[in-house]
């Protein structure tokens, strides 16, 4: 009796797979003639059930039965496609490939793994159902963004596995595999932000685009917002956008630490979130002022492509230098050397010092020193962005934003010194 229940559930899972995909295919072709459709709900359901039957029979007769069944189904689908293509100008093979995939997933579901197979079936339905959205998405992606995605694949899938995973140089601080893996991580985060700025553009508003731009390059957003503020007397919206982009640094730092050294998170997340909350509070107050006095004109945020091979190599070199300097400063000057390096490095790039200290905290460097260094880098970078914005937009009218930024991060800094 128990075996019969398992058998029925396996066949039901296989049938459900065919039914799911068949409903989507039938719905997408609901406006066409039934005689011109390759397959619908019934056909896909039968294919799913057939896959389940073949999987169960194969348990007694061997795997060759599944191979034979797959070949027969493939021949039938190919014959159907040839006949259909003679009657229609549509040369797509989406439905035919979905039929083969349905058969394979049904076999998987009936072989004892129904949940993963059904999950894959749900993904198939989602991909098939969002045809128009996916095509529209492709039209929104610029050639630069597309080729940047290819570059990301090359540096992650092709280059990364070829690098040795061992330490070289002074203090064995330089691990080529780890260095390039960090390059891939930062490039990926930047690329996601850049892609969103391409997709959103100015249509979604300055603030939303600034959030996406903050992942790509908060420096670029700061300079762009400062130029807009210089041309517009109602500059609150641009200052808010700059603050939003800069605030993205804090969750980005937590993501980087989570990837490299999760043991630092209990020390880091309270002060980091305090700084983040401080900036968000300032942004909220400023945005309310903006709603009462909206600017007369808006502009689009322009960010250069952050994922270029030269940019990736430059960041890798910078990270290697910071790693060596961190080891040197620790050996020569102790904790004070780490803190000084953090402040100076934060003026250039927060990512490099964050990754470097997170890695060093896995061995000789104490977690408290590493966490303090990362926080100091965040503070110095925040102050620099505020000064940069005020300098470009006009010191007399915008110096207060630099003051707001430093005041917003002081609670987190004080908490860190009290905690450590």
């Amino acid at each position: 009796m128990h075996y019969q229940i398992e058998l029925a559930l396996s066949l039901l899972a296989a049938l459900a797979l065919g039914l799911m995909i068949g409903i989507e295919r039938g719905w997408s072709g609901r406006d066409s003639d039934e005689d011109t459709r390759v397959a619908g709900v019934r056909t896909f359901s039968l294919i799913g059930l057939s896959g389940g039957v073949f999987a169960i029979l194969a348990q007694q007769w061997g795997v060759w039965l599944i191979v034979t069944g797959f070949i027969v189904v493939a021949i039938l689908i190919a014959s159907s496609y040839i006949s259909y293509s003679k009657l229609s100008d549509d040369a797509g093979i989406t439905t035919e490939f979905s039929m083969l995939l349905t058969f394979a997933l049904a076999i998987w579901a009936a072989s004892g793994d129904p949940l993963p197979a059904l999950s894959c079936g749900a993904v198939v339905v989602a991909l098939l159902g969002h045809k128009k959205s996916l095509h529209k998405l492709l039209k929104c992606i610029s050639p630069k963004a597309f080729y940047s995605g290819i570059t990301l694949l090359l540096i992650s899938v092709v280059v990364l596995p070829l690098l040795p995973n061992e330490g070289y140089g002074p203090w064995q601080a330089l691990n080529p595999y780890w260095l390039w893996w960090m390059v891939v991580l930062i490039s990926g985060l930047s690329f996601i932000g850049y892609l969103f700025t391409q997709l959103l553009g100015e249509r979604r508003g300055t603030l939303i685009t600034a959030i996406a731009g903050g992942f790509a390059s908060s420096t670029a957003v700061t300079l762009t917002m400062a130029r807009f503020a210089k041309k517009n007397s109602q500059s609150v919206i641009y200052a808010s956008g700059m603050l939003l982009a800069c605030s993205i640094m804090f969750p980005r730092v937590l993501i980087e630490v989570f990837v490299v050294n999760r043991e630092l998170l209990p020390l880091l997340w309270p002060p980091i979130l305090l700084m983040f909350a401080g900036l968000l509070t300032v942004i909220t107050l400023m945005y309310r002022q903006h709603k009462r006095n909206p600017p007369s004109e808006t502009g689009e945020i322009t960010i250069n492509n952050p994922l270029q091979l030269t940019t990736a190599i430059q960041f890798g070199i910078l990270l290697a230098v910071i790693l060596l300097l961190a080891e040197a400063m620790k050996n020569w000057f102790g904790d004070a050397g780490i803190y000084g390096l953090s402040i100076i490095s934060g003026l250039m790039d927060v990512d490099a010092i964050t990754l470097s200290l997170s890695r060093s905290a896995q061995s000789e460097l104490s977690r408290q020193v590493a966490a303090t260094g990362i926080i100091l880098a965040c503070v110095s970078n925040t102050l620099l962005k505020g000064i940069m914005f005020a300098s470009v937009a006009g010191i007399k009218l915008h110096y207060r934003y630099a003051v707001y930024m430093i005041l917003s991060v002081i609670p987190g800094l004080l908490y860190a010194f009290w905690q450590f």
Side-chain angles (χ1 to χ4, degrees):
M1 186 66 179
H2 180 68
Y3 171 74
Q4 292 177 344
I5 293 175
E6 286 187 355
L7 191 66
L9 291 175
S10 298
L11 289 174
L12 186 62
L15 178 62
L17 269 165
L19 193 61
M20 283 167 50
I21 301 175
I23 288 174
E24 192 286 326
R25 289 288 80 192
W27 184 85
S28 64
R30 63 193 183 280
D31 296 329
S32 59
D33 265 344
E34 290 190 8
D35 296 335
T36 61
R37 272 188 272 173
V38 177
V41 178
R42 291 179 299 171
T43 304
F44 273 92
S45 299
L46 289 173
I47 290 173
L49 188 59
S50 299
V53 171
F54 272 92
I56 291 171
L57 292 177
Q59 296 175 4
Q60 296 181 354
W61 298 93
V63 180
W64 65 268
L65 190 63
I66 292 179
V67 176
T68 303
F70 190 84
I71 293 172
V72 170
V73 171
I75 292 173
L76 289 173
I77 293 172
S79 303
S80 174
Y81 174 74
I82 293 171
S83 301
Y84 175 74
S85 60
K86 292 179 180 178
L87 302 173
S88 173
D89 296 332
D90 186 8
I93 59 170
T94 303
T95 299
E96 288 74 17
F97 190 78
S98 300
M99 294 163 73
L100 279 176
L101 190 57
T102 300
F103 186 77
L105 289 175
I107 292 173
W108 187 12
S111 299
D113 291 308
L115 189 57
L118 287 169
S119 299
C120 288
V123 172
V124 171
V125 171
L127 290 174
L128 292 173
H130 288 84
K131 174 183 176 181
K132 292 183 179 179
S133 300
L134 291 172
H135 287 182
K136 185 179 179 181
L137 180 66
L138 289 176
K139 292 179 180 178
C140 295
I141 298 175
S142 66
K144 287 184 180 179
F146 176 75
Y147 290 115
S148 296
I150 295 176
T151 303
L152 182 60
L153 287 175
L154 287 175
I155 67 174
S156 58
V157 179
V158 178
V159 177
L160 183 63
L162 300 177
L163 298 175
N165 190 7
E166 56 183 297
Y168 293 93
W171 305 287
Q172 302 291 303
L174 303 180
N175 183 311
Y177 182 88
W178 184 86
L179 282 170
W180 200 251
W181 163 226
M182 293 303 101
V183 169
V184 172
L185 172 64
I186 299 303
S187 298
L189 288 173
S190 299
F191 176 67
I192 290 172
Y194 174 70
L195 189 61
F196 271 103
T197 59
Q198 294 286 301
L199 297 176
L200 294 174
E202 61 180 348
R203 296 170 298 170
R204 300 294 183 182
T206 302
L207 295 184
I208 295 178
T209 312
I211 295 173
F215 274 102
S217 174
S218 58
T219 302
V221 175
T222 299
L223 291 173
T224 303
M225 293 295 183
R227 294 189 187 105
F228 291 157
K230 187 176 182 179
K231 299 176 183 178
N232 198 308
S233 58
Q234 301 295 338
S235 58
V236 177
I237 184 64
Y238 302 123
S240 301
M242 177 272 297
L243 287 168
L244 265 178
C246 294
S247 69
I248 295 300
M249 172 185 64
F250 298 110
R252 180 170 170 141
V253 163
L254 291 178
I255 292 172
E256 293 166 6
V257 173
F258 176 81
V259 172
V260 179
N261 188 355
R262 299 179 188 178
E263 294 180 356
L264 278 180
L265 283 178
L267 294 176
L268 269 177
W269 73 259
I272 290 291
L273 287 186
L274 274 175
M275 296 180 187
F276 184 55
L279 279 177
L280 291 183
T281 302
V282 174
I283 293 166
T284 302
L285 296 174
M286 290 170 58
Y287 189 65
R288 288 181 179 176
Q289 180 183 348
H290 152 71
K291 294 181 74 174
R292 294 193 296 267
N293 301 293
S296 58
E297 60 181 40
T298 58
E300 185 175 1
I301 298 174
T302 55
I303 295 175
N304 294 327
N305 179 9
L307 211 164
Q308 298 176 357
L309 193 56
T310 53
T311 305
I313 293 173
Q314 288 170 1
F315 179 78
I317 294 172
L318 175 63
L319 179 57
V321 170
I322 295 296
L323 275 169
L324 286 174
L325 285 176
E327 292 294 332
M329 298 297 278
K330 178 180 178 297
N331 281 274
W332 296 342
F333 304 105
D335 295 346
I338 294 293
Y339 299 149
L341 177 65
S342 299
I343 294 172
I344 296 172
S345 300
L347 298 175
M348 298 183 294
D349 188 280
V350 173
D351 296 325
I353 189 65
T354 298
L355 297 172
S356 173
L357 295 182
S358 297
R359 179 173 173 80
S360 298
Q362 293 176 337
S363 52
E364 297 179 359
L365 188 66
S366 72
R367 297 175 192 170
Q368 287 79 8
V369 173
T372 303
I374 293 171
I375 291 167
L376 288 174
C378 291
V379 171
S380 67
N381 188 268
T382 302
L383 179 59
L384 176 68
K385 296 289 172 52
I387 295 173
M388 186 187 301
F389 179 85
S391 300
V392 176
I395 290 287
K396 290 184 179 180
L397 294 176
H398 302 94
Y399 73 91
R400 65 182 183 277
Y401 298 122
V403 176
Y404 293 159
M405 292 180 74
I406 193 61
L407 289 177
S408 64
V409 298
I410 283 178
L413 184 63
L414 293 177
Y415 179 89
F417 284 130
W418 170 75
Q419 183 185 33
F420 305 151

